């Protein structure tokens, strides 16, 4: 299945998606009836395990959505298992240093970019998918090009080193976590603060100069439009749990009780 985020980025087009916390394949499948390009399956702030991730990835792909997965740590095992499960983009939170990012490149990319461990797994159709059937070297090259590695910039360490981090071979883009970044700057959720706005602009500029995907999260449609106008390539809008609650609150507020 094509990586819609990457394909549209190559064409200079924007992509939009959302985060799912509902732990439901049905919820993921239902998003296929929207015009979203991707869904981010979150294993950082949920108890979702690998077995469930496989189900949600399959639901996303069957619905025509590119499945991104946010991993729960900077270590080999969770990164490898989620890639083997079929994640087409991997978001890695809480990176602090250039060395952190070089480490996750090693876990996420095959040689010569990294040292990802090989096994015929779901992401290559156990060796029978089109991109895997012609041999291991072609499969490894395909994965390196088409499976996105997206470190999340949400710490002061990552911000301070962003120009070097975004230029590391194997890094395909950066996701800004604006809430945690603003908290790290001692300005929690003060997105109109000049320093916070300056930090976001710095990350965006670094991505643009490096030719990498600039991705940001927001809970606001107005802010999403603003970020798209500012030049972000990819915007994650909202959490499905929040949308779910707000939708039912709206219904209840309109009922004549």
């Amino acid at each position: 299945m094509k990586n819609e985020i990457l394909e549209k980025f190559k064409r200079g087009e924007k992509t939009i998606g959302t985060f799912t916390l509902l732990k439901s394949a049905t919820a993921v499948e239902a998003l296929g009836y929207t015009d979203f390009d991707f869904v981010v399956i979150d294993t950082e702030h949920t108890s979702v395990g690998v077995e469930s991730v496989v189900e949600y990835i399959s639901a996303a792909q069957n619905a025509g959505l590119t499945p991104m997965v946010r991993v729960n740590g900077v270590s080999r095992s969770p990164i490898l298992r989620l890639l083997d499960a079929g994640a087409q983009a991997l978001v890695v939170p809480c990176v602090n240093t250039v060395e952190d990012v070089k480490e996750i490149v090693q876990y996420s990319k095959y040689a010569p970019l990294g040292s990802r461990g090989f096994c015929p797994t779901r992401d290559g159709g156990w060796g029978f998918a089109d991109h895997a059937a012609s041999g291991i070297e072609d499969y490894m090259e395909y994965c390196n090009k088409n499976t996105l590695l997206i470190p999340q910039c949400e710490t002061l360490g990552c911000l301070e080193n962003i120009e070097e981090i975004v230029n590391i071979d194997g890094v395909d883009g950066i996701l800004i976590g604006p809430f945690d970044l603003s908290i790290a700057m001692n300005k929690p959720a003060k997105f109109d603060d000049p320093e916070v706005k300056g930090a976001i602009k710095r990350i965006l500029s670094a991505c643009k100069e490096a030719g990498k995907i600039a991705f940001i999260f927001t809970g606001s449609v107005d802010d999403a439009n603003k970020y798209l106008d500012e030049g972000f390539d990819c915007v994650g809008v909202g959490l499905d749990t929040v949308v779910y609650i707000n939708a039912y609150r709206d219904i209840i507020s309109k009922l004549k009780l």
Side-chain angles (χ1 to χ4, degrees):
M1 181 176 176
K2 287 186 177 180
N3 189 321
E4 198 65 23
I5 299 169
L6 181 60
E7 294 300 314
K8 286 195 171 184
F9 177 70
K10 289 177 179 177
R11 298 195 298 266
E13 299 175 11
K14 312 286 188 178
T15 46
I16 55 171
T18 193
F19 282 64
T20 181
L21 306 181
L22 282 172
K23 299 171 62 177
S24 166
T26 300
V28 173
E29 184 179 2
L31 293 173
Y33 292 94
T34 70
D35 284 329
F36 280 140
D37 300 295
F38 65 86
V39 60
V40 183
I41 301 160
D42 194 7
T43 72
E44 181 192 16
H45 290 290
T46 69
S47 59
V48 172
V50 174
E51 293 81 4
S52 297
V53 167
V54 172
E55 185 180 3
Y56 306 155
I57 287 173
S58 179
Q61 291 173 327
N62 289 337
L65 299 165
T66 295
M68 301 181 69
V69 183
R70 181 157 63 180
V71 72
N72 63 4
V74 183
S75 56
R76 180 180 185 272
S77 179
I79 289 174
L80 180 61
R81 295 178 75 189
L82 293 177
L83 290 173
D84 286 348
Q88 291 180 269
L90 199 68
V91 176
V92 184
C94 206
V95 295
N96 283 284
T97 66
V98 172
E99 288 69 29
D100 283 345
V101 179
K102 289 181 177 178
E103 182 180 354
I104 63 176
V105 169
Q106 289 299 307
Y107 301 150
S108 304
K109 299 290 185 177
Y110 287 114
L113 289 176
S115 56
R116 176 183 167 185
F118 171 79
C119 180
T121 49
R122 184 186 180 278
D123 72 309
W126 298 275
F128 293 93
D130 289 344
H131 63 280
S134 59
I136 186 171
E137 291 185 358
D138 287 347
Y139 163 73
M140 291 165 62
E141 181 180 2
Y142 178 92
C143 288
N144 281 353
K145 290 181 178 178
N146 292 278
T147 303
L148 302 176
L149 175 60
I150 313 289
Q152 189 164 327
C153 188
E154 58 184 349
T155 67
L156 293 181
C158 186
L159 176 63
E160 290 167 0
N161 294 285
I162 191 61
E163 289 80 10
E164 185 174 355
I165 285 172
V166 79
N167 279 287
I168 294 172
D169 286 343
V171 170
D172 299 294
I174 298 291
L175 167 61
I176 300 175
F179 284 92
D180 281 328
L181 182 60
S182 67
I183 292 168
M185 298 175 70
N186 291 318
K187 298 175 184 291
K190 295 179 181 178
F191 303 126
D192 289 328
D193 182 272
E195 289 187 24
V196 176
K197 292 173 72 174
I200 291 172
K201 184 177 180 180
R202 177 180 174 182
I203 300 164
L204 174 61
S205 297
C207 289
K208 293 297 181 183
E209 290 176 10
K212 304 294 179 69
I213 300 170
F215 181 11
I216 193 166
F217 167 79
T218 178
S220 161
V221 173
D222 289 340
D223 284 345
N225 281 323
K226 180 189 70 173
Y227 289 135
L228 290 168
D229 288 341
E230 288 175 356
F232 278 90
D233 306 295
C234 194
V235 178
V237 187
L239 308 173
D240 59 0
T241 48
V242 176
V243 173
Y244 182 82
I245 293 168
N246 282 335
Y248 274 106
R249 279 186 166 185
D250 183 60
I251 289 171
I252 290 170
S253 71
K254 295 173 181 177
L255 291 175
K256 298 178 180 179
L257 300 177

